[in-house]
Amino acid sequence: MSGQQTAGSDPYFPANGDSRFRVHRYELALDYRPGPNRLAGTARLSAIAGRAALTEFHLNLAEFKIGRVLVNGRAPQYTHRGGRLRIRPTKPLPAGAAFTVEVHWSGNPKPVRSPWGGLGWEELTDGALVASQPVGAPSWYPCNDRPADKATYQISVNTPSPYTVVASGRLLTRTTKASTTTWVYEQSAPTPSYLVGLSIGMYQTVLLGDPGLGGVPQSAHVPAYLLPQFSRDFARQPAMMQLFEELFGPYPFGEYAVVVTDEELDVPVEAQGLSTFGANHVDGVRGSERLVAHELAHQWFGNSVTIADWRHIWLNEGFAKYAEWLWSEHSGGRTAQQLAGSAYRLLASQPQDLRLADPGRKLMFDDRLYQRGGLAVHAIRCALGDAAFFRMLRDWLTVHRHGVVTTVGFTTHVARYTSESLDDLVSAWLYHPALPPLPAGQSKPAKTGFRPTKGGPAGRGRASA
């Protein structure tokens, strides 16, 4: 397979993903034994060929033992080296044709190597979790590993009965036979491979708040000894959900779950409808509440509205950072303007070599991207004014719900909400490394309770992954 054929996958990770086809559904059946850290799985992918016939294609999968591969029920030729499963069907797949791929694999899952250390499947002291951003998904299942290729999922996990399994999506069934239990989850919303979450551990499950009619069910899976602290640290998450729904639009998925592992994590990690925190993020005094807001905001920014490739990561992290500031000013903490000032002073003391709209792989998780991304959003808010800004934001999330976006698409969208040119402001914040002047003009918290038909709010107004 030539490099030229796969060059369109992702400029930061050209070895990941194959842009010549797309997957619209994954059905994963997994059997996991925590003691020996043994995983056996079967994946059935329903896919569609692109504009050209496929004589061969590839999936990403770490170094497991391959038991069988089928394409449309027939055994193809395949090779599996360097994290790539290269498949040559018995006859070319016509352009635009639907086809299925079935892969059986087994082995001891472990994180895949990356510039940021191991990513993906992580064996814990008693259980496992998945934290795949950006390229860790192949550590546990075969996938077309690029953010723009979003698919629905059914995930079945069979594991010893004492363990709780939490996965992205809605729990369909939980069936116990002898000493094992099979958990089946369905994620009906289009999901990129890096956002498929999974956690296996000894957890107690609790509900957060009462969603009421039409509300979002929110659950938590927490080690029992941490429940007293957790109940305080996450007590305001339902209020965050309400605020973000009013500012951003309806929550884009059917449910939201959080998992607290019984180990420390450097940062929390978002997945589709699911966020994972470490025990170190639970202290009983809301010391990590901004991260609770950050991960929840990713359900809109990054998960529902997904970047086309990793050059545009600021569209995920800048808005999640700004959501922290919106929650702070709404809940009686520092205003977005005050938090912008703090971020600005921090950035002013650091090197000016980050280009927000295309930071390069080396800097894509640099804390400066998060801070500058939040400042860029704040600058746009100040330039538009709150009524236009929140209308713009809500429209952006509505139009592109469950879709794929780029920076150019966003700036084109923003321009529709003002009669004045924002080209200089956008260029300064997104495309030039030098730090522009601190944005000013917003001093009142954004108020909730606005109606979309009124066109905006009633009033004025590695960091976490």
Side-chain angles (χ1 to χ4, degrees):
M1 184 177 298
S2 72
Q4 185 178 8
Q5 287 177 300
T6 60
S9 298
D10 193 295
Y12 290 4
F13 303 98
N16 284 65
D18 189 334
S19 59
R20 298 172 300 172
F21 73 100
R22 61 184 178 89
V23 182
H24 65 85
R25 183 165 176 81
Y26 291 81
E27 295 177 356
L28 307 179
L30 310 174
D31 185 276
Y32 181 63
R33 305 295 151 167
N37 185 39
R38 184 72 178 176
L39 178 68
T42 300
R44 180 179 174 86
L45 286 64
S46 300
I48 300 174
R51 296 179 179 179
L54 285 179
T55 58
E56 59 181 356
F57 60 93
H58 82 259
L59 299 169
N60 294 104
L61 179 64
E63 300 307 313
F64 291 98
K65 178 182 178 181
I66 302 295
R68 183 170 61 172
V69 177
L70 298 174
V71 176
N72 290 336
R74 303 182 67 178
Q77 294 181 344
Y78 70 89
T79 60
H80 183 217
R81 288 191 298 272
R84 276 188 176 186
L85 178 60
R86 299 171 183 259
I87 299 170
R88 182 182 291 273
T90 54
K91 60 180 181 179
L93 301 168
F99 64 98
T100 61
V101 184
E102 188 174 309
V103 181
H104 298 241
W105 76 101
S106 61
N108 299 105
K110 62 183 179 181
V112 296
R113 288 181 293 180
S114 83
W116 309 278
L119 297 173
W121 188 283
E122 184 175 346
E123 181 185 8
L124 304 177
T125 301
D126 194 12
L129 66 82
V130 168
S132 292
Q133 184 174 327
V135 289
S139 68
W140 64 290
Y141 74 101
C143 55
N144 191 10
D145 192 32
R146 57 192 185 98
D149 195 23
K150 302 172 72 167
T152 64
Y153 282 78
Q154 184 176 100
I155 303 172
S156 170
V157 182
N158 185 60
T159 200
S161 293
Y163 291 89
T164 295
V165 175
V166 186
S168 295
R170 178 169 63 96
L171 178 63
L172 296 182
T173 61
R174 182 178 62 189
T175 307
T176 298
K177 293 183 180 179
S179 60
T180 66
T181 298
T182 301
W183 305 68
V184 180
Y185 284 84
E186 175 74 26
Q187 177 54 268
S188 58
T191 306
S193 51
Y194 86 93
L195 287 175
V196 181
L198 180 67
S199 188
I200 301 170
M202 300 289 191
Y203 299 124
Q204 185 165 330
T205 300
V206 296
L207 300 180
L208 288 171
D210 180 3
L213 290 175
V216 180
Q218 299 176 60
S219 61
H221 310 273
V222 187
Y225 77 94
L226 285 175
L227 279 173
Q229 298 96 315
F230 174 88
S231 63
R232 175 170 175 79
D233 291 339
F234 284 74
R236 301 205 290 186
Q237 182 180 282
M240 293 178 190
M241 179 71 78
Q242 181 180 2
L243 174 68
F244 291 167
E245 283 201 301
E246 291 177 345
L247 295 180
F248 307 150
Y251 179 74
F253 307 111
E255 57 285 305
Y256 182 58
V258 295
V259 172
V260 177
T261 70
D262 196 13
E263 300 194 18
E264 293 192 357
L265 299 180
D266 290 339
V267 294
V269 180
E270 80 275 8
Q272 193 97 315
L274 170 67
S275 294
T276 302
F277 296 79
N280 52 308
H281 299 125
V282 176
D283 58 14
V285 295
R286 295 177 179 159
S288 296
E289 189 172 72
R290 73 170 186 86
L291 301 178
V292 178
H294 186 107
E295 302 309 321
L296 177 58
H298 269 310
Q299 302 307 317
W300 286 266
F301 301 101
N303 297 13
S304 174
V305 178
T306 303
I307 52 177
D309 62 60
W310 290 106
R311 291 173 296 180
H312 311 288
I313 187 172
W314 84 274
L315 287 170
N316 295 359
E317 302 303 346
F319 280 99
K321 171 59 68 176
Y322 199 66
E324 298 177 27
W325 300 356
L326 290 171
W327 169 250
S328 175
E329 69 177 15
H330 172 79
S331 60
R334 289 192 290 168
T335 67
Q337 185 65 40
Q338 291 169 330
L339 289 163
S342 296
Y344 191 89
R345 289 187 291 273
L346 177 65
L347 289 175
S349 68
Q350 297 180 343
Q352 307 293 310
D353 61 354
L354 183 141
R355 188 171 177 259
L356 191 61
D358 188 1
R361 190 169 76 170
K362 182 179 179 181
L363 297 180
M364 61 183 283
F365 293 117
D366 193 297
D367 185 58
R368 291 173 298 162
L369 181 135
Y370 294 65
Q371 302 291 347
R372 182 164 178 148
L375 279 166
V377 175
H378 189 65
I380 293 170
R381 178 183 178 185
C382 292
L384 294 181
D386 274 17
F389 173 77
F390 285 106
R391 185 169 68 249
M392 176 277 295
L393 208 54
R394 192 176 179 118
D395 289 349
W396 170 252
L397 293 165
T398 299
V399 170
H400 297 288
R401 183 181 173 95
H402 301 319
V404 174
V405 296
T406 65
T407 298
V408 170
F410 175 72
T411 57
T412 301
H413 176 81
V414 169
R416 300 189 182 109
Y417 293 80
T418 177
S419 59
E420 300 179 6
S421 174
L422 296 184
D423 289 352
D424 290 345
L425 179 143
V426 165
S427 179
W429 280 104
L430 302 185
Y431 296 104
H432 297 287
L435 194 61
L438 174 67
Q442 177 273 341
S443 60
K444 296 180 181 180
K447 294 182 180 179
T448 61
F450 70 92
R451 299 292 182 264
T453 55
K454 298 291 183 62
R460 282 189 51 78
R462 156 165 151 162
S464 71

